[in-house]
Amino acid sequence: MRDDPRLPTSPGFWRSPLRGPWLTSVLGLVLLTGITALFVTGLVSYAAYNPGLSPVNDTTPDKGVLGFYLFSWPTDPVWLYRFTQGLHVTLGVTLVPVLLAKLWSVVPKLFELPPARSLAHALERLSLLLLVGGGLFEFTTGVLNVQLDYVFPGSFYPLHFYGAWVFFAAFVAHAVLKVPVALRALRRRLGPQEATGLVPARPDPPTVSRRGALWLVGGGSLLLFVTTVGQSLGGPFRRTALLAPHGGPDPGGGPNGFQINKTAAYAGVTTADTHEDAWRLVVTGRAGRTVRLSRAQLLRLPLHSSSLPIACVEGWSTADQWWRGVRLRDLAVLAGYDGDPPDVLVESLQRHGAFRRAALRANQVADPRSLLALYVNGEELSPDHGYPARVIVPAAPGVLNTKWVTRLTFGDL
Ligand SMILES: Nc1nc2c(c(=O)[nH]1)N[C@H]1C(S)=C(S)[C@@H](COP(=O)(O)O)O[C@H]1N2
Ligand SMILES: [Mo]
């Protein structure tokens, strides 16, 4: 039964002459650096949306020890999140062919019988289950989030975050065991048993060399890279991002002609809601002090400008746009915070959809470039970019830049 070559559990089933320690080692070492970079930029990205401001920004009840590294996300340099998240998404997409090739190169091992020869062997195979399962889970949820938006039960963030820890723990264990073997394989210094480990028992004649196969994988990665990276570079490069999602509406030209995430129509925001007779900004602060402002009244406050990009967790970003509006810290003063401003809860008038509110940290409120924007590139905000007023904060993830703002509640969260 075990040697029936029609069954994947038989060594005779796997015939490709390409399989062997050299190919697996090269792919493995590429993933060692790539996945480590993905893990680091991923943790950074999670910190960036200030999940500590729970339950507003993140409904995960408790990050526990896994949240040990969280910090207040800085506001400098303004392109910080554009860079870390662009790197995370572009690298993740680029590594897909490498991941698949690596899995392909070791797939006979996953079918090996008997399932466990010893306790150590059983533990090793269990860790492989977490490694392969965790890897597929992280790449799948990541690509789905980039391509299809939020199709998950609950939120993408906690799934991808906890999955990352499981995956990375198994990844580290695997790397500790295998990196020495991989390095020896590349120097062709493997022991006889190691050297034959992945080699098929009854190979078919080759149709492509190992180097050729590697070029194929590398070419696939390169193709994904050049058709993805443009979405993070923005501007004219946006059009080269053939693989980036194109679900959003065409923003058209002119001052408001940059990428739109969710339209006013999608969010259920109507012109009746935003009409100057209906819309008010409600600012609440110390000891319940409340101020209500119409757009005309807001326009009589000191207006300031800042050039800031929008950078989304999905990996796309815009070039810097020229925003003009009221400083958040000036609004904090109106709410009774004359000294250092506190955190703020920002609420949209939007009735349905996931992002109706977001919280900002005191350091973000205090930055003079953080605005409740009323204009962009010299023109009124368009309905889709958040008219009558939206938040824009330097270096922050797009999701914190709430559109159609109607209420600001200052106070430590
Ligand atoms: N009220 C509200 N604000 C929102 C959103 C939303 O869906 N509703 N989307 C956020 C996300 S995820 C991003 S990336 C930015 C995008 O801003 P833009 O559509 O003006 O480019 O807006 C943010 N502000
Ligand atoms: Mo976003």
Side-chain angles (χ1 to χ4, degrees):
M1 174 77 170
R2 261 185 71 193
D3 290 324
D4 182 342
R6 283 167 308 176
L7 295 177
T9 47
S10 151
F13 179 86
W14 305 99
R15 306 291 283 271
S16 171
L18 294 178
R19 286 203 181 85
W22 185 82
L23 185 67
T24 296
S25 301
V26 173
L27 296 169
L29 290 173
V30 172
L31 289 178
L32 177 71
T33 17
I35 287 175
T36 305
L38 278 182
F39 184 65
V40 172
T41 50
L43 288 190
V44 161
S45 206
Y46 184 68
Y49 94 123
N50 284 336
L53 296 175
S54 171
V56 178
N57 290 1
D58 186 11
T59 47
T60 321
D62 185 10
K63 268 71 71 184
V65 288
L66 300 184
F68 73 94
Y69 75 95
L70 294 175
F71 52 96
S72 289
W73 186 248
T75 52
D76 270 299
V78 297
W79 44 263
L80 184 60
Y81 187 77
R82 238 191 128 184
F83 176 75
T84 60
Q85 191 58 10
L87 187 63
H88 184 74
V89 170
T90 308
L91 185 61
V93 170
T94 302
L95 284 178
V96 167
V98 185
L99 180 81
L100 294 179
K102 173 69 166 58
L103 286 175
W104 175 86
S105 81
V106 296
V107 75
K109 289 223 158 203
L110 304 180
F111 288 93
E112 229 172 45
L113 285 179
R117 290 190 302 268
S118 64
L119 185 62
H121 186 231
L123 285 177
E124 193 200 319
R125 294 201 85 184
L126 201 67
S127 82
L128 282 185
L129 208 66
L130 294 180
L131 182 71
V132 174
L136 290 176
F137 180 82
E138 285 304 283
F139 275 83
T140 310
T141 50
V143 169
L144 281 178
N145 188 56
V146 171
Q147 285 293 332
L148 294 178
D149 238 56
Y150 301 85
V151 291
F152 306 98
S155 169
F156 163 77
Y157 296 87
L159 288 177
H160 204 62
F161 177 72
Y162 289 125
W165 281 102
V166 173
F167 173 47
F168 202 70
F171 182 78
V172 169
H174 185 72
V176 168
L177 288 174
K178 299 293 186 185
V179 167
V181 187
L183 291 176
R184 268 183 281 135
L186 292 190
R187 288 194 226 107
R188 316 229 177 248
R189 299 229 180 97
L190 290 180
Q193 207 167 7
E194 286 174 328
T196 52
L198 294 156
V199 176
R202 298 192 297 140
D204 282 336
T207 51
V208 58
S209 70
R210 286 209 172 115
R211 273 178 201 281
L214 217 54
W215 277 111
L216 199 69
V217 175
S221 284
L222 188 68
L223 190 67
L224 287 176
F225 177 80
V226 298
T227 50
T228 301
V229 71
Q231 67 165 337
S232 310
L233 300 176
F237 297 104
R238 181 72 184 85
R239 264 175 291 149
T240 66
L242 304 175
L243 273 187
H246 283 263
D250 180 359
N256 276 281
F258 55 95
Q259 188 153 345
I260 298 159
N261 175 295
K262 297 285 188 288
T263 61
Y266 172 92
V269 174
T270 65
T271 46
D273 296 321
T274 59
H275 189 270
E276 60 182 306
D277 297 335
W279 182 82
R280 291 292 177 272
L281 176 72
V282 182
V283 185
T284 310
R286 188 162 265 161
R289 184 199 290 203
T290 299
V291 185
R292 294 169 63 88
L293 298 161
S294 66
R295 191 172 148 108
Q297 288 170 313
L298 270 173
L299 288 171
R300 285 198 288 274
L301 296 176
L303 299 187
H304 298 271
S305 300
S306 41
S307 277
L308 302 171
I310 289 184
C312 181
V313 65
E314 296 161 9
W316 61 264
S317 50
T318 70
D320 289 359
Q321 311 295 326
W322 181 50
W323 307 92
R324 192 161 171 77
V326 182
R327 282 182 176 154
L328 293 183
R329 69 178 193 195
D330 289 350
L331 293 166
V333 172
L334 280 186
Y337 289 93
D338 292 314
D340 291 336
D343 306 332
V344 66
L345 170 65
V346 183
E347 290 170 276
S348 167
L349 59 86
Q350 167 180 357
R351 270 176 284 268
H352 44 259
F355 313 120
R356 292 186 350 254
R357 50 191 212 146
L360 301 170
R361 281 269 186 225
N363 67 313
Q364 294 172 314
V365 177
D367 193 297
R369 295 163 300 177
S370 297
L371 302 177
L372 182 71
L374 306 164
Y375 295 99
V376 66
N377 302 321
E379 201 174 78
E380 280 192 344
L381 290 174
S382 69
D384 288 338
H385 283 304
Y387 180 88
R390 80 167 305 162
V391 160
I392 186 87
V393 173
V399 67
L400 297 184
N401 295 326
T402 306
K403 306 197 274 193
W404 313 294
V405 171
T406 188
R407 185 183 285 273
L408 297 173
T409 309
F410 289 93
D412 285 314
L413 294 166

